[in-house]
Amino acid sequence: MSLIKSISGIRGTIGGPAGEGLTPIDIVKFTYAYCAKLRERRPHPDGSRYKVVVGKDARLSGEMVEQLVCGTLVACGVDVVKAGYASTPTTEMAVVFAKADGGIILTASHNPRQWNALKLLNEKGEFLNAAEGQAILDCAESGEFDFAPVDELGHITEHDFTDEHVQAVIDLKAVDEEAVSEAGFKVVLDPVNSVGAIIMKRLLERMGVECVMINGTPNGDFAHNPEPLPQNLVELSETVVREHADLGISVDPDVDRLAFICENGEPFVEEYTLVSVAEYLFAKAKKLAEIQGISLEEATAPYKPVAVSNLSSSRALRDVAEQHGGRYVAAAVGEVNVTTKMHEENALIGGEGNGGVIYPASHFGRDAMVGVGLFLSNLAYKKMKVSELKKTYPPYFIAKNKISLSDKALIDRILSQMKEVFKDERINDIDGVKIDFEAERQWVHLRRSNTEPIIRIYAEAPTQEAAEALAARVISIAEGIIKG
């Protein structure tokens, strides 16, 4: 059994002893702590009631976890807006739609069926920052609980926010519903038997897209490993070819990550989801600037022509941003770190190389719905096959490795000495050590795992062979440091 406590919430496998798995006791403790810190973080001087939105993906344990979370919120004197089956981005937006004080998302994202989690949101529908998350962890472990008396119990209402989310995507200026409908796209959708079967299908139908769906029963019985990686999307690739579809769309169980399959069955590669969407937005802004004789900053207003991703994401995002006159900024790994940097930069677009698209014109959260709306609009304008579109982007390949260590103290030594070994290269140490070999258009990123005594080593280069060779070189150096 596993239980992982982090600043963004708790996740774990269902069942087992309290504190070792995600049990009812753990769920109640952390939900209570969320309420307690919510009152401190967001005081109501007028004495008005607090309101929290709760949404869940279609996991087998979803109903059980939902009942415990909603019951605990009510016991804390908090009103609950139960969103039912709702994607992570839907729940994030629902907090704003409902003018709530916060939200709790019940999903373990791409983790297997035995996992579930509580992900915690503020009044903007965004994940809590590190300090707020740590305060909740501390409160949950304090063992001090004080619930509301009977006359002050909260109340539960139910509201389906699916159509509001779909409409919000269609209403985005950069999403061209008419152009997509006229293009007559046929897609195959794999929502891995979770909430994407409800909301993604509805978006595609609203945009006039013919949708063939596989694994489309939202029962939480995942038909394959739910992470949208090429090796898990064989059925989707085969169906795209068999159906003569224009593309395949894969989302994870909570619909915040997005991957495409080309019309020939080949992976578009999840790293290029964000790259493609960003290139579309930058190109659109550049064209507007040229037509109107204005600056790129004026064309992207109220946002700046800046793209943000984490240190382990592809250099291709930087390339396409700079190609169109924009700027690229790196953030530490983790969605909250990316969104924090995006706020600081007032960025036009951002996200993560795992297929996570964050578009501030919609909201500050990874949203596969927004990603699909933007991608299909781009495809409709360019009038080319998905495989042809992929070839227009800078080609990069990533090698992912790790070093297991018996002594955690070695991690700091390795990271420190790597900076010395590669001191003549561009180094970024905001999250581990990233070494950028500018001349070769290569980079390698070493960072500690938050849960295991390992160092993750990601390397990227213009060919897979070069990426593997760079990773091997760095691993060899690390092994030499270990031997001392």
Side-chain angles (χ1 to χ4, degrees):
M1 297 297 174
S2 298
L3 181 65
I4 300 172
K5 306 168 188 177
S6 72
I7 59 173
S8 60
I10 59 166
R11 63 187 168 101
T13 51
I14 296 298
E20 295 182 19
L22 187 60
T23 70
I25 293 172
D26 299 294
I27 293 167
V28 170
K29 280 191 347 183
F30 283 92
T31 303
Y32 174 88
Y34 174 76
C35 290
K37 294 304 170 182
L38 175 64
R39 287 190 168 90
E40 292 180 13
R41 180 174 55 80
R42 190 171 166 80
H44 280 199
D46 62 355
S48 58
R49 301 179 70 90
Y50 285 80
K51 183 194 300 184
V52 171
V53 175
V54 177
K56 67 175 186 290
D57 69 12
R59 287 174 181 273
L60 298 171
S61 60
E63 183 177 356
M64 180 271 288
V65 177
E66 178 188 57
Q67 289 176 352
L68 287 164
V69 168
C70 291
T72 304
L73 290 169
V74 168
C76 290
V78 173
D79 288 340
V80 177
V81 180
K82 192 158 69 171
Y85 285 140
S87 71
T88 282
T90 303
T91 307
E92 291 170 346
M93 297 183 76
V95 172
V96 178
F97 292 150
K99 297 181 173 59
D101 297 286
I104 300 178
I105 309 168
L106 312 179
T107 175
S109 192
H110 63 273
N111 289 108
R113 66 207 293 271
Q114 68 267 32
W115 288 77
N116 213 327
L118 277 62
K119 296 186 177 182
L120 312 175
L121 305 173
N122 64 18
E123 73 281 2
K124 297 178 182 178
E126 300 174 18
F127 290 114
L128 304 180
N129 63 36
E132 292 165 341
Q134 188 59 54
I136 290 172
L137 294 179
D138 294 341
C139 179
E141 298 303 329
S142 70
E144 299 177 3
F145 305 104
D146 185 10
F147 294 96
V150 66
D151 292 329
E152 296 177 16
L153 296 177
H155 303 282
I156 296 177
T157 58
E158 298 183 7
H159 186 90
D160 185 347
F161 293 93
T162 301
D163 286 334
E164 287 159 89
H165 186 184
V166 169
Q167 190 61 51
V169 173
I170 290 174
D171 287 344
L172 291 169
K173 289 182 179 180
V175 172
D176 194 329
E177 177 188 7
E178 183 177 350
V180 172
S181 180
E182 290 178 354
F185 292 126
K186 179 180 181 180
V187 309
V188 179
L189 169 67
D190 182 0
V192 71
N193 289 334
S194 193
V195 294
I198 301 170
I199 190 166
M200 185 63 76
K201 183 174 186 290
R202 199 170 301 181
L203 173 68
L204 292 169
E205 290 174 344
R206 277 289 308 273
M207 298 184 76
V209 176
E210 181 183 351
C211 178
V212 176
M213 190 156 57
I214 60 174
N215 306 318
T217 304
N219 59 11
D221 190 8
F222 304 146
H224 55 77
N225 184 314
E227 190 165 12
L229 299 175
Q231 62 266 32
N232 301 328
L233 304 179
V234 175
E235 181 187 6
L236 178 59
S237 294
E238 292 174 345
T239 308
V240 167
V241 174
R242 185 174 64 250
E243 292 287 337
H244 303 288
D246 294 291
L247 71 154
I249 297 174
S250 171
V251 293
D252 63 342
D254 66 326
V255 201
D256 66 348
R257 289 175 58 180
L258 172 67
F260 298 110
I261 297 295
C262 299
E263 81 290 341
N264 56 12
E266 295 179 357
F268 192 74
V269 182
E270 69 279 5
E271 282 283 344
Y272 281 85
T273 299
L274 174 59
V275 173
S276 177
V277 167
E279 193 277 334
Y280 164 60
L281 294 172
F282 277 104
K284 189 178 179 70
K286 186 177 181 181
K287 184 176 181 180
L288 177 63
E290 291 171 350
I291 292 173
Q292 297 189 0
I294 58 177
S295 69
L296 187 63
E297 288 216 356
E298 290 173 310
T300 60
Y303 304 99
K304 297 287 181 65
V306 174
V308 176
S309 68
N310 67 45
L311 288 173
S312 288
S313 296
S314 177
R315 176 193 164 118
L317 181 63
R318 170 185 160 188
D319 287 358
V320 299
E322 293 178 350
Q323 173 189 342
H324 294 289
R327 188 164 57 88
Y328 170 76
V329 178
V333 174
E335 182 177 351
V336 69
N337 295 318
V338 174
T339 56
T340 298
K341 184 62 68 176
M342 290 178 69
H343 276 297
E344 292 173 0
E345 297 288 341
N346 195 22
L348 173 67
I349 185 69
E352 299 176 300
N354 58 13
V357 174
I358 303 172
Y359 186 42
S362 175
H363 65 116
F364 278 89
R366 297 185 306 193
D367 192 334
M369 301 279 288
V370 170
V372 164
L374 295 173
F375 185 88
L376 291 180
S377 298
N378 187 27
L379 199 62
Y381 289 155
K382 292 189 173 174
K383 302 184 188 304
M384 58 175 62
K385 294 180 179 179
V386 177
S387 61
E388 295 170 340
L389 179 64
K390 173 67 186 304
K391 291 177 183 177
T392 67
Y393 303 129
Y396 290 104
F397 298 84
I398 291 182
K400 298 182 178 181
N401 295 272
K402 63 182 179 181
I403 299 176
S404 298
L405 301 166
S406 57
D407 183 0
K408 288 185 178 181
L410 286 172
I411 295 177
D412 289 333
R413 188 198 306 173
I414 291 171
L415 296 179
S416 176
Q417 292 191 30
M418 281 292 175
K419 289 196 288 185
E420 183 61 28
V421 171
F422 294 103
K423 62 184 179 182
D424 294 331
E425 308 294 342
R426 180 191 293 179
I427 291 177
N428 187 322
D429 60 0
I430 62 172
D431 183 8
V433 176
K434 182 174 183 177
I435 306 153
D436 201 326
F437 303 87
E438 189 67 27
E440 294 86 8
R441 294 168 64 217
Q442 301 179 1
W443 57 259
V444 62
H445 184 203
L446 300 88
R447 64 184 295 268
R448 68 173 69 240
S449 167
N450 293 326
T451 58
E452 305 170 81
I454 65 173
I455 295 179
R456 301 191 188 280
I457 300 177
Y458 289 6
E460 183 182 65
T463 68
Q464 189 66 47
E465 293 75 16
E468 298 286 357
L470 177 57
R473 176 186 171 195
V474 170
I475 290 172
S476 177
I477 294 171
E479 289 173 344
I481 294 171
I482 293 170
K483 292 176 182 177

